[in-house]
Amino acid sequence: MDNSYHQQSLAWHETLEIHELVALQSVGLMKLKMGIYHIQDPTLKNIYLQTIKELEMNLNELLQFYPYAPHPGSSDEYRVSDSFYAGDLLAFAKTAVRSYGVAITETATPALRAVLKKQMNLAVTCHERIYTYMYQNGLYPSYDLAKLLQHDMTLAKKALSM
């Protein structure tokens, strides 16, 4: 990391964006590493291998910024089983909400817009449901930035070590 381009610590908003990227890419990396053994097509397998390599590089680069996050701390070990699946569903729900938001802005047909709005509301409800589950079960400490970032680092290291 080029030290000439950062302050003493990262800003809160950029820290949270890095958190989102690390969490999403860690879960994605774990899924790719688990799934690659089931792929028969050599071209698709090579695409997976390249994507795995790129995600590992991304995570290693992003993790270098964690020491500059505001008030980092320690946390419990990341539980792979339920945490992984819950995090995967949370990432899916977030992506769905964003995708519907973009799709709605590109829609000219009123009937289609109505369907997309209805489905986006369902995606928002799905996000709320999985977020609430994760928060209540200590899997997403959204009000404790130090724990949140520690969970990210643990998840990313787990994904990188697979």
Side-chain angles (χ1 to χ4, degrees), residues 86 89-98 100 116-134:
L89 181 55
L90 184 69
F92 170 78
K94 285 181 182 187
T95 301
V97 170
R98 289 177 180 137
Y100 277 112
L116 294 177
K117 287 165 99 176
K118 178 182 80 82
Q119 291 181 1
M120 182 171 147
N121 284 332
L122 289 174
V124 169
T125 300
C126 176
H127 176 271
E128 178 184 10
R129 188 170 44 241
I130 190 60
Y131 165 78
T132 300
Y133 167 84
M134 292 180 73

Side-chain angles (χ1 to χ4, degrees), residues 8 17 67 75:
Q8 186 129 348
E17 291 300 327
S75 179

Side-chain angles (χ1 to χ4, degrees), residues 18-33:
I18 291 172
H19 148 71
E20 293 290 342
L21 289 168
V22 168
L24 177 67
Q25 291 184 60
S26 295
V27 170
L29 179 59
M30 293 171 83
K31 286 172 59 177
L32 290 171
K33 286 182 172 183

